[in-house]
Amino acid sequence: MCFFSPFQVLSEIIPKETLVWKLKLIQTGSSYANSRLHAVKAEVLLLASGQDSMLPSKNEAQRLKKGLQNCQVRYFKDNGHTLLLEEGLSLLTIIKGVGKYRRSRKVDFVRDYVPPSKSEFERSTQTCRFMQAATGTVMLSTLQDGSIVKGLAGVPTQGPVLLVGYHMLMGIELQSLVGEYLKQKNILLRGIAHPAIFGGRFESSSSEFNFQDWIKVMGGVPVAASNFFKLLSSKSHVLLYPGGAREALHYKGEAHKLIWPEQQEFVRMAAKFGATIVPFGGVGEDDLVEVTLLVLAQGSNLSNSSLCL
């Protein structure tokens, strides 16, 4: 089996002298560009491919990130050289996910937000479909007369609405809640999320387009009084977990325990805008994990026993 480099192919099309001249011209231009990288102050978004057979995309992204002052990289390990022409990849989705779409100098996660398309929503739920199928999520709500019904008919459609909930283990109820809310009420919940998701402190040249980026695409907003004010003033449906990540990562014996701060400032803000506060909770996630671990442990014991026979 023979492999031909792009330069071998070019040498058959372009005269050797012309090809050498063009390569020298490229080398001169790249040398000048590299010498001026430190002067670039504009925001730069680099997309690098993991299966690029033409150019060393990942290595080049690593080099450019070190030389540019304000640079973000998204690495797509399964894509090739024609990254933006390949199926399942949208440049607009990437731009929204890294917070580069904005109308002014500074990004405003409320006013600059563009709702996800149908394809974006479907892609965001692909990795969670197995979990949703395994949990068999059922939504129940309470009507004004006190009767409990299946579905979200008891949740007001007219905003502003503030859903205040308890974070279950690992927060895996989020996907089901947002998905069912959109499906049943055709309304996208705007979730208040931890600022670390939006800061990019831990990004590197090998940072992939990940769950944190999808949170931004799906309407996540960093927790801040100003953002809360903007959401309620625009009559949005806001999702708030006062317990935050600490509640989602609760310790043994803390199942269904509210780990909320003593001062609940969201009540005052909701009252200012006349927002309807809908408290909610969930059951079953902790039980699901316990049952899963028990089944795995029993399977391991059976396997060990069979090996001893």
Side-chain angles (χ1 to χ4, degrees):
M1 184 178 292
C2 298
F3 295 93
F4 298 93
S5 71
F7 299 107
Q8 287 177 310
V9 176
L10 285 174
S11 65
E12 297 177 1
I13 302 174
I14 304 174
K16 183 178 178 180
E17 295 76 12
T18 304
L19 182 60
V20 171
W21 174 76
K22 285 183 176 291
L23 290 174
K24 288 182 178 179
L25 192 65
I26 292 173
Q27 185 178 23
T28 302
S30 63
S31 297
Y32 177 79
N34 288 330
S35 69
R36 302 298 298 166
L37 284 179
H38 67 279
V40 178
K41 297 181 180 179
E43 292 184 37
V44 178
L45 173 61
L46 296 176
L47 308 183
S49 303
Q51 303 296 325
D52 192 340
S53 58
M54 295 275 295
L55 298 170
S57 296
K58 184 177 182 181
N59 293 338
E60 187 67 3
Q62 292 174 343
R63 184 184 70 83
L64 290 173
K65 185 171 177 59
K66 293 178 181 178
L68 294 166
Q69 298 181 35
N70 193 359
C71 176
Q72 278 184 279
V73 177
R74 284 299 177 270
Y75 177 59
F76 299 86
K77 62 180 181 180
D78 298 323
N79 291 89
H81 181 69
T82 55
L83 182 68
L84 298 179
L85 298 178
E86 297 177 16
E87 186 177 357
L89 200 66
S90 167
L91 180 59
L92 178 58
T93 302
I94 298 169
I95 291 174
K96 293 194 294 183
V98 297
K100 295 299 184 186
Y101 179 81
R102 60 176 185 264
R103 296 176 176 86
S104 58
R105 186 177 63 86
K106 188 176 180 181
V107 63
D108 187 323
F109 286 99
V110 178
R111 293 175 180 155
D112 291 340
Y113 181 63
V114 178
S117 64
K118 182 180 179 180
S119 61
E120 285 175 336
F121 175 74
E122 290 176 349
R123 285 183 59 202
S124 71
T125 58
Q126 282 179 355
T127 56
C128 302
R129 285 178 181 173
F130 173 76
M131 181 61 69
Q132 288 181 276
T135 56
T137 306
V138 176
M139 300 285 176
L140 303 173
S141 60
T142 306
L143 301 179
Q144 290 186 353
D145 60 5
S147 58
I148 299 175
V149 296
K150 185 176 180 179
L152 299 173
V155 181
T157 301
Q158 184 65 37
V161 174
L162 177 60
L163 280 78
V164 182
Y166 158 75
H167 245 327
M168 297 192 67
L169 186 61
M170 301 300 292
I172 59 176
E173 79 285 342
L174 266 170
Q175 190 65 52
S176 297
L177 178 60
V178 174
E180 284 299 312
Y181 210 90
L182 186 60
K183 180 180 178 181
Q184 296 186 32
K185 306 188 77 65
N186 198 27
I187 296 173
L188 183 67
L189 287 174
R190 303 299 306 275
I192 303 293
H194 196 284
I197 294 175
F198 305 85
R201 289 179 55 191
F202 307 105
E203 290 186 1
S204 67
S205 58
S206 59
S207 295
E208 297 184 31
F209 196 83
N210 53 32
F211 178 70
Q212 294 179 338
D213 294 322
W214 277 114
I215 287 179
K216 300 171 194 174
V217 174
M218 294 303 295
V221 177
V223 58
S226 58
N227 288 333
F228 199 29
F229 183 95
K230 292 174 186 176
L231 287 172
L232 292 179
S233 63
S234 61
K235 297 184 178 181
S236 300
H237 286 63
V238 185
L239 177 61
L240 176 66
Y241 291 95
R246 171 65 182 86
E247 195 171 69
L249 301 173
H250 55 255
Y251 302 143
K252 184 177 181 179
E254 291 182 345
H256 308 298
K257 177 182 178 181
L258 293 179
I259 307 175
W260 289 9
E262 294 183 4
Q263 299 295 327
Q264 303 300 330
E265 295 297 330
F266 68 83
V267 177
R268 185 179 302 176
M269 186 78 78
K272 177 179 177 62
F273 290 97
T276 302
I277 298 179
V278 180
F280 72 92
V283 293
E285 288 183 19
D286 295 286
D287 303 315
L288 174 67
V289 173
E290 290 180 6
V291 170
T292 303
L293 292 177
L294 179 61
V295 170
L296 290 175
Q298 289 178 342
S300 176
N301 291 336
L302 289 173
S303 177
N304 292 335
S305 299
S306 62
L307 289 174
C308 295
L309 292 176

